[in-house]
Amino acid sequence: VASFFFIGLMSMMIPLCHVFGSLIAVCLFMGLFDGCFICIMAPIAFELVGAQDVSQAIGFLLGLMSIPMTVGPPIAGLLYDHLGTYDVAFYLAGVPPIIGGFILCFIPWVHERQKLKER
């Protein structure tokens, strides 16, 4: 969850980097937290769907991740054409990971509630 929040936050901080060193620091932290996210993707999928369907869940997650990665750059280009800056594109790119991290906070609550229903 923390990795999602920091990925979104680092995306939003890219336009604020006016010195090359600060951009390197932001990209370093973004890469670190992105690596953490990729590492925890499989255990999260395992928790959500169980051992039987984990491979299908990971494939579904990767398929869903491909949509914004494919559509995002042309949309950023359109925003640049209209606004003359990429700042808004970076700010908008940071919103979904923050929302996703917020939603992931509810997984333990939903999981516990499901266990109570089974009992």
Side-chain angles (χ1 to χ4, degrees):
V1 173
S3 66
F4 252 19
F5 283 123
F6 279 105
I7 289 170
L9 184 64
M10 292 298 127
S11 294
M12 291 178 159
M13 288 182 67
I14 289 174
L16 303 176
C17 297
H18 300 291
V19 179
F20 187 65
S22 63
L23 181 64
I24 289 174
V26 166
C27 290
L28 180 71
F29 282 113
M30 190 170 184
L32 176 73
F33 289 113
D34 186 53
C36 291
F37 164 69
I38 296 300
C39 288
I40 64 169
M41 189 170 60
I44 288 173
F46 184 84
E47 274 293 317
L48 289 175
V49 298
Q52 190 79 0
D53 298 322
V54 74
S55 61
Q56 186 175 359
I58 291 172
F60 186 68
L61 283 170
L62 292 173
L64 283 176
M65 286 171 53
S66 71
I67 295 169
M69 289 182 174
T70 303
V71 177
I75 291 174
L78 286 172
L79 287 171
Y80 178 78
D81 288 344
H82 289 292
L83 302 174
T85 181
Y86 284 107
D87 292 356
V88 175
F90 283 111
Y91 294 138
L92 291 176
V95 172
I98 291 173
I99 292 172
F102 182 72
I103 291 171
L104 283 175
C105 289
F106 290 105
I107 288 178
W109 178 73
V110 170
H111 195 318
E112 193 64 33
R113 192 166 173 186
Q114 212 171 29
K115 282 184 179 179
L116 288 174
K117 282 184 180 179
E118 288 176 1
R119 289 181 197 163

